[in-house]
Amino acid sequence: MEVLRPQLVRIGGRIYRKNPIQEQTYQHEEDEDFYQGFVECAEEPCDAYEVVQTQQGFRCTVKAPSLLYKHIVGKRGDTRKKLEVETKTSISIPKPGQEGEIVITGQHRSGVISARTRIDVLLLTFRRKQPFTHFLAFFLNEVEVQERFLKFQEEVLEKCSMDHGVDSTIFQNPKKLHLTIGMLVLLSEQEIQQTCEMLQQCKEEFIDDISGGKPLEVEMAGIEYMNDDPGMVDVLYAKVHMKDGSNRLQELVDRVLERFQASGLIVKEWNSVKLHATVMNTLFRKDPNAEGRYNLYTADGKYIFKERESFDGRNILKLFENFYFGTLKLNSIHISQRFTIDSFGNYASCGQIDFS
């Protein structure tokens, strides 16, 4: 991280600088004094926080899933103690496994706000280290598309199996074909419910207008690769576009992404959704349940290195550049849970909205 161009963290409409720390030297999150030197925090009042005046001083609450409490407590309670001393506050945190609110109290409003801001930054940082649990997606597993996908797989193996790295293990499961809008970290039932409510708000505010209250008719046709070398491909995907040639699908998913990014439920990485349906992925070679680039961290925040053997996609791209997978009617956006399947072999859905 460059000192003159530090990472910025947006919280409650305000932007804070994340100071450089040597994260790579830590062996385990429980052994970290992560808080030290972490955040430059504003002391002035912030209207984004609700601070209540009481007879004893001031009070502010923070909602957070219990899984993240330990990062505020720290090893032997050191992080909480440091926060309390530096901000002159008292911080009450529910016991492990118990859902509730973190309560900050203090004699001075500015101290309570300072503690709240620092806690928010810690929560956001460790949330970003959690593996993704869910994703927003359209399912692309209609019968016609599944059959055409299996035909694509059959023809690729027939004509290109001699190319380096091309074999049956790197093809997507046809029942799991999907179009991802964004990845989510949902750590409690309350956060799942919040996501359902946010999706419903999107439907009422703009999805119905864009879709006209009808399914979006799309075509899945043509293939492309993710990286810049067709001779060393890790992900090959099918392109998805509106059948009528309009930009409605792209507009819809971009606005959903924007709304979820603004709410903090999706971390902002891109300004636009790349419409694609993965059909081949080298991570499947060793793990049929792998899910692309999203297997980056374990549950305790440790980085996972996924060694993968790329394949030579030049002949596939030449022979199947315009392969037609079929037409679909996209009528639902699902909140899908990773690493789970339903009775149809697709990702289990814990919520959805329908266009019609």
Side-chain angles (χ1 to χ4, degrees):
M1 182 187 302
E2 296 183 23
V3 174
L4 298 179
R5 300 180 64 185
Q7 179 181 345
L8 300 179
V9 180
R10 182 183 295 273
I11 298 175
R14 297 165 67 88
I15 298 177
Y16 299 91
R17 183 177 69 194
K18 179 180 176 182
N19 292 333
I21 55 173
Q22 299 297 320
E23 289 180 271
Q24 67 270 23
T25 63
Y26 297 127
Q27 297 301 312
H28 191 276
E29 63 195 14
E30 293 294 323
D31 299 327
E32 300 174 11
D33 182 10
F34 187 86
Y35 169 77
Q36 186 171 6
F38 175 66
V39 61
E40 181 177 283
C41 175
E43 298 290 339
E44 73 275 9
C46 174
D47 293 335
Y49 299 141
E50 183 178 348
V51 179
V52 179
Q53 188 168 8
T54 66
Q55 291 182 344
Q56 291 76 31
F58 295 88
R59 182 178 185 271
C60 184
T61 59
V62 186
K63 291 183 179 179
S66 59
L67 185 65
L68 299 181
Y69 291 162
K70 59 184 177 181
H71 301 301
I72 309 303
V73 175
K75 185 180 180 181
R76 298 184 298 273
D78 289 347
T79 301
R80 174 167 58 183
K81 292 175 185 176
K82 189 174 181 67
L83 278 167
E84 291 178 328
V85 169
E86 293 191 354
T87 61
K88 296 180 174 61
T89 60
S90 176
I91 301 171
S92 174
I93 301 173
K95 294 180 180 180
Q98 294 183 354
E99 295 295 336
E101 294 182 326
I102 298 171
V103 180
I104 309 164
T105 56
Q107 294 294 317
H108 304 286
R109 187 173 188 271
S110 60
V112 171
I113 290 173
S114 178
R116 168 64 191 268
T117 304
R118 298 181 192 203
I119 288 173
D120 277 354
V121 173
L122 286 169
L123 290 171
L124 178 60
T125 298
F126 283 104
R127 175 181 288 277
R128 287 182 173 180
K129 288 193 172 188
Q130 300 300 311
F132 292 115
T133 59
H134 299 74
F135 58 98
L136 298 178
F138 291 102
F139 292 161
L140 306 176
N141 56 353
E142 292 188 11
V143 174
E144 176 193 0
V145 172
Q146 288 193 51
E147 291 175 349
R148 290 292 296 166
F149 171 82
L150 291 173
K151 181 66 173 176
F152 168 78
Q153 178 176 339
E154 178 186 342
E155 292 186 9
V156 167
L157 292 175
E158 179 184 332
K159 299 176 182 179
C160 305
S161 60
M162 298 302 292
D163 294 342
H164 176 77
V166 176
D167 61 50
S168 61
T169 65
I170 62 176
F171 286 85
Q172 174 68 282
N173 180 339
K175 295 180 180 180
K176 290 186 174 182
L177 289 168
H178 63 276
L179 180 66
T180 300
I181 299 173
M183 303 300 298
L184 298 156
V185 176
L186 305 179
L187 304 178
S188 67
E189 287 299 322
Q190 289 84 356
E191 292 188 347
I192 293 174
Q193 182 60 36
Q194 182 185 357
T195 302
C196 292
E197 292 171 359
M198 178 68 66
L199 200 54
Q200 181 62 34
Q201 289 174 16
C202 291
K203 171 179 167 59
E204 295 170 359
E205 293 178 17
F206 59 84
I207 289 177
D208 283 344
D209 288 339
I210 296 173
S211 68
K214 300 177 181 178
L216 297 179
E217 294 191 33
V218 303
E219 290 183 326
M220 186 169 157
I223 58 172
E224 190 55 85
Y225 60 104
M226 283 292 188
N227 58 307
D228 57 1
D229 184 355
M232 295 185 65
V233 175
D234 283 317
V235 176
L236 190 79
Y237 63 89
K239 294 181 279 189
V240 180
H241 58 268
M242 287 292 298
K243 192 173 182 180
D244 62 9
S246 71
N247 198 43
R248 287 190 297 150
L249 176 59
Q250 187 70 60
E251 179 187 357
L252 188 151
V253 295
D254 284 349
R255 291 188 65 178
V256 170
L257 178 68
E258 180 182 13
R259 179 60 60 86
F260 273 80
Q261 287 175 339
S263 72
L265 288 169
I266 291 180
V267 175
K268 186 169 185 177
E269 295 182 274
W270 302 281
N271 293 323
S272 180
V273 177
K274 186 177 182 66
L275 294 172
H276 71 284
T278 298
V279 294
M280 299 173 71
N281 188 330
T282 56
L283 286 180
F284 298 153
R285 197 186 304 279
K286 294 184 178 180
D287 181 6
N289 295 315
E291 296 173 9
R293 66 179 191 84
Y294 305 114
N295 283 355
L296 295 180
Y297 293 98
T298 63
D300 61 2
K302 292 182 180 179
Y303 182 77
I304 303 173
F305 175 71
K306 288 281 188 177
E307 184 178 354
R308 55 204 297 176
E309 178 191 354
S310 302
F311 66 91
D312 186 345
R314 287 173 293 186
N315 283 331
I316 298 175
L317 290 161
K318 180 179 179 181
L319 295 172
F320 301 94
E321 179 181 7
N322 298 310
F323 188 89
Y324 187 74
F325 291 90
T327 60
L328 306 102
K329 291 185 177 181
L330 303 183
N331 193 44
S332 303
I333 296 177
H334 294 264
I335 304 168
S336 300
Q337 186 172 351
R338 298 181 71 206
F339 309 119
T340 62
I341 57 173
D342 60 19
S343 58
F344 300 101
N346 198 357
Y347 290 103
S349 176
C350 54
Q352 71 183 72
I353 58 163
D354 300 323
F355 299 171
S356 64

